[in-house]
């Protein structure tokens, strides 16, 4: 799955704050994500995130 920093992920389950949109800060073996509603940052393993993604939104530049 092609996920890059700057993408916005719509997840299947909500964050405890109620939002299901996450901003990708870092992508690799682990993802550093930021919740779009409460701005909390967290690190999650790639295999766990790839199972729970519903949609990937990207602003293509160029």
């Amino acid at each position: 799955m092609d996920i890059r920093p700057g993408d916005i992920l719509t997840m299947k389950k909500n964050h405890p704050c109620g939002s299901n949109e996450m901003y990708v800060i870092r992508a690799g073996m682990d993802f550093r994500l930021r919740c779009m509603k409460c701005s909390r940052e967290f690190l999650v393993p790639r295999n766990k995130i790839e199972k729970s993604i519903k949609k990937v939104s990207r602003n293509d530049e160029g």
Side-chain angles (χ1 to χ4, degrees), residues 12-30:
K12 292 178 184 175
K13 288 189 172 185
N14 289 347
H15 188 246
C17 72
S19 175
N20 67 343
E21 291 191 335
M22 307 295 165
Y23 178 79
V24 179
I25 298 170
R26 186 174 78 87
M29 283 303 293
D30 296 321

Side-chain angles (χ1 to χ4, degrees), residues 4 8 18 21-24 26 34 41 45-46 53 57:
R4 303 177 198 152
I8 295 175
E21 291 191 335
M22 307 295 165
Y23 178 79
V24 179
R26 186 174 78 87
R34 177 184 297 140
E41 292 184 10
R46 176 181 276 276
I53 294 173
S57 302

Side-chain angles (χ1 to χ4, degrees), residues 2-9 22-28 30-33 46 56-59 61:
D2 182 33
I3 299 170
R4 303 177 198 152
D7 291 351
I8 295 175
L9 307 178
M22 307 295 165
Y23 178 79
V24 179
I25 298 170
R26 186 174 78 87
D30 296 321
F31 282 95
R32 172 144 326 256
L33 302 176
R46 176 181 276 276
V56 178
S57 302
R58 177 175 298 145
N59 292 334
E61 298 164 5

